[in-house]
Amino acid sequence: MVCVTTAPWPSTGTESTCRHCGSYVTDQFGRVFGDGDDRVHRCRHCDSYRRIQRGSAAGIAVGVPDPETTPGHHGGGSDV
């Protein structure tokens, strides 16, 4: 007998790209970091993980510098 488990959520399929840069993102990334509709506004290709954790992937403005608009910043604090 073969057991098959299905995910309790439907695969969106159409929302598998970052709305900012167009890179592929998984449905799971969208569920975890995306907005209320699992849409991803920023991803690991166009933003830092520190900003994503604070809500940038969900479209929320965060206080960590954006690596695209602040050269030399990758969302981290100074090591000094």
Side-chain angles (χ1 to χ4, degrees):
M1 176 177 257
V2 175
C3 295
V4 177
T5 303
T6 58
W9 51 85
S11 176
T12 59
T14 59
E15 298 296 338
S16 60
T17 58
C18 173
R19 300 183 106 198
H20 184 75
C21 72
S23 295
Y24 170 79
V25 293
T26 64
D27 290 344
Q28 183 178 2
F29 186 90
R31 283 190 304 274
V32 173
F33 296 109
D35 63 15
D37 294 321
D38 298 343
R39 292 178 300 219
V40 176
H41 297 261
R42 297 290 294 264
C43 70
R44 291 293 311 240
H45 295 282
C46 61
D47 209 351
S48 68
Y49 190 66
R50 187 171 181 201
R51 287 176 44 84
I52 290 170
Q53 285 183 312
R54 286 167 173 73
S56 68
I60 298 170
V62 296
V64 179
D66 186 340
E68 286 189 346
T69 60
T70 311
H73 286 80
H74 303 285
S78 175
D79 291 338
V80 178

